[in-house]
Amino acid sequence: ADAWSRAYAVGTYFTTLGLGALWAPGSGGWGVVASAVALNGFAVVTLVVTYVLQVVGAVTGARQLAGAAHALGETPQAVVTGAWTGSGFDGLATHLANLVPMVEAHGRRHEAYPALHFFQSRERRTSAPVMLAVLDEALLLLASGVAPGARLASAEVEPLRRVLGAYLDTLSVSFVDAADEAPEAPTLAPLAAAGVPVVDAGSLGRAADGDRQRRRRLRGLVRDAGREWTDVTAQ
C-alpha cells in the first residue's frame, strides 16, 4: 500500500465507513489499532453532531428570547408606555415573570455552549444582546423612572433584574469586557408624553449612576455583538 492508500484506509476507519475485504489489517495487532481508530471516530463524530444540534437549539432559543422581549416594545420607553393603562401597568408583571426562566435558561446555555456567544443576528429584533439591553433599560425605568405611586411592586420587577444581572456576570467573566463608559440615562420624555407619572431627570440619573457597572456591561455586550447603543435606543 502506498501513502495515499494508507491515508485512505485510516480516514475510512476513522469515519466508521468500513473498508470491506479489499482493505484489511495485515495482522491482529493492526486489527486492534483499526478497531480503536473506528471507536474513536465513532465517539468524535457522535459528539460533534450532538454538540452542533444542541448549539443550533440554543441559538434558536436566544432568538426566541429576543423576540419575546421585542414583543413588549421596540425601545425601553415603548415597553413602559405600551403597558400603561392610564392608572397602572396591569398585565405587565405576568410578561416579566414569564421572561425570568427564559433569561435564566439563556445564561445557562452560554455556560454550557460557549460557541453560542459567537452567533449573531442580522436583525435587531432577533438580536438577544440588543433586546436584553432594551429590556434591562425598561426595568430601570419601571423601577426608578416611574413615579413611586404608579410603579410596579419591587417583587414584580426585581426577579427579572436579578437574572439579567446574573447573565451579565457570566458574560463578563467569560467573554465580554465592560465598556469604558456607561450609556446616558434613558430619557423620560416619551413616558411623560404618554401620561405616565415620572420622577425628575435628576432622580433617574442618580439611579442610573448607581447601576453604572451593570450598564457598562450592557453596553459592552451590545458592542461585542457588533451593534451600537443607538440600536438599543432606536435613535
Side-chain angles (χ1 to χ4, degrees):
D2 58 19
W4 287 109
S5 297
R6 293 189 181 97
Y8 168 76
V10 172
T12 310
Y13 270 117
F14 183 77
T15 54
T16 70
L17 297 177
L19 295 173
L22 294 179
W23 298 91
S27 66
W30 283 112
V32 172
V33 172
S35 297
V37 170
L39 180 62
N40 185 58
F42 178 78
V44 170
V45 171
T46 302
L47 179 63
V48 168
V49 171
T50 302
Y51 184 82
V52 168
L53 290 177
Q54 293 293 331
V55 170
V56 170
V59 171
T60 301
R63 294 184 178 181
Q64 181 182 13
L65 170 60
H70 180 268
L72 295 179
E74 286 268 358
T75 65
Q77 291 81 3
V79 173
V80 178
T81 58
W84 178 247
T85 63
S87 59
F89 297 97
D90 299 341
L92 180 59
T94 301
H95 292 295
L96 299 182
N98 290 337
L99 285 170
V100 169
M102 296 178 68
V103 175
E104 178 68 19
H106 182 60
R108 300 291 75 79
R109 292 190 193 106
H110 267 280
E111 292 179 345
Y113 311 112
L116 176 61
H117 176 70
F118 301 101
F119 286 82
Q120 307 297 345
S121 176
R122 293 183 179 180
E123 298 182 41
R124 175 182 179 273
R125 66 180 182 85
T126 56
S127 173
V130 171
M131 296 316 302
L132 289 179
V134 168
L135 186 60
D136 199 75
E137 290 287 274
L139 294 176
L140 174 63
L141 289 171
L142 288 167
S144 303
V146 176
R151 291 176 188 171
L152 288 171
S154 176
E156 296 172 320
V157 176
E158 285 304 312
L160 185 54
R161 289 206 74 188
R162 283 195 291 269
V163 296
L164 281 168
Y167 167 67
L168 292 173
D169 290 341
T170 298
L171 292 183
S172 66
V173 170
S174 303
F175 304 108
V176 179
D177 294 326
D180 293 334
E181 297 291 337
E184 294 183 2
T187 177
L188 292 168
L191 276 65
V196 181
V198 296
V199 301
D200 61 90
S203 296
L204 179 60
R206 288 189 291 273
D209 285 341
D211 282 340
R212 183 184 298 109
Q213 182 60 23
R214 178 192 185 102
R215 301 180 75 242
R216 285 178 58 208
R217 290 176 178 176
L218 271 178
R219 192 172 196 170
L221 173 64
V222 172
R223 180 191 60 194
D224 195 70
R227 302 278 182 168
E228 298 295 335
W229 193 252
T230 53
D231 291 306
V232 177
T233 59
Q235 292 177 348

